[in-house]
Amino acid sequence: MSLVLGLLSHTLNRVLRYSGLRRGCHAPRHQAMEQDKALEVYGDCRGAVGGSRVVPEGEAWDIIRTIRDPEKPNTLEELEVVTESCVEVHEIGEDEYLVIIRFTPTVPHCSLATLIGLCLRIKLQRCLPFRHKLEIYISEGTHSTEEDINKQINDKERVAAAMENPNLREIVEQCVAEPD
């Protein structure tokens, strides 16, 4: 099973990397730069009335906490890959939010980090009950190829290409399925 997951992760990385949709820009290297860029693109609401709402943060957290690890029988919460503090939600318009997730792989060379990011994106896209823009990042300094992975999991075209692969789609579906 571990070998199959490793091969699928490798395939996902290749599909995303060589999808022909490479962009000229580089992913931001620092957390503050990432957030500033996101707020610049989507609007800075910190000064607005109601700035950040706790309700959407709680909703986003409740959605991602039950995602299963692709390799282990645990949830991402149990493995501390995601924590409640890794979820940020900023209001960017009337009933529209910027959701920023920062996750921490269990080891700096985790071969499934891209797959975990893909699972986070797919489940949030399907389950968030409000209009949103998603940005998902590996926590700074926690993975050897974080810059590349951040680019991959935030590129809609690469994510769509990855989800067209039936083997990857099956693994994602298993990971994001609600526990019984």
Side-chain angles (χ1 to χ4, degrees):
M1 181 67 169
S2 178
L3 177 62
V4 170
L5 289 173
L7 289 171
L8 284 170
S9 177
H10 178 73
T11 302
L12 172 63
N13 282 326
R14 293 288 180 205
V15 166
L16 293 175
R17 183 173 297 140
Y18 300 115
S19 63
L21 301 170
R22 294 183 83 95
R23 297 191 178 177
C25 61
H26 297 286
R29 293 177 189 233
H30 302 289
Q31 204 171 55
M33 287 174 56
E34 291 169 354
Q35 184 170 353
D36 289 347
K37 178 183 173 208
L39 291 174
E40 179 182 309
V41 171
Y42 302 125
D44 186 349
C45 61
R46 289 177 284 195
V49 176
S52 294
R53 282 188 32 188
V54 174
V55 174
E57 284 178 1
E59 291 174 23
W61 166 243
D62 286 341
I63 290 167
I64 66 172
R65 67 189 298 190
T66 60
I67 296 173
R68 305 214 64 77
D69 184 85
E71 209 172 28
K72 300 179 172 114
N74 305 83
T75 65
L76 297 182
E77 177 188 25
E78 292 167 345
L79 296 171
E80 296 182 357
V81 172
V82 293
T83 61
E84 197 165 2
S85 64
C86 79
V87 178
E88 294 177 38
V89 178
H90 302 277
E91 190 171 3
I92 56 174
E94 189 173 325
D95 296 324
E96 187 172 10
Y97 298 88
L98 168 62
V99 179
I100 302 172
I101 307 292
R102 288 181 176 74
F103 70 99
T104 305
T106 53
V107 293
H109 55 277
C110 178
S111 63
L112 298 175
T114 307
L115 184 56
I116 290 170
L118 182 62
C119 291
L120 289 166
R121 176 166 294 283
I122 296 302
K123 187 148 187 193
L124 285 166
Q125 284 176 339
R126 289 180 183 173
C127 299
L128 282 176
F130 50 84
R131 285 186 12 193
H132 61 277
K133 300 204 184 292
L134 277 177
E135 296 207 353
I136 299 173
Y137 302 105
I138 292 181
S139 299
E140 187 178 341
T142 61
H143 196 277
S144 57
T145 61
E146 72 186 66
E147 193 172 317
D148 292 334
I149 294 172
N150 287 341
K151 266 201 302 194
Q152 292 173 359
I153 59 180
N154 286 297
D155 185 319
K156 291 179 185 178
E157 290 85 7
R158 291 180 184 189
V159 169
M163 289 304 291
E164 288 177 8
N165 179 319
N167 296 324
L168 286 174
R169 187 173 49 246
E170 182 180 341
I171 290 177
V172 169
E173 295 298 340
Q174 290 173 359
C175 292
V176 301
E178 286 298 318
D180 295 332

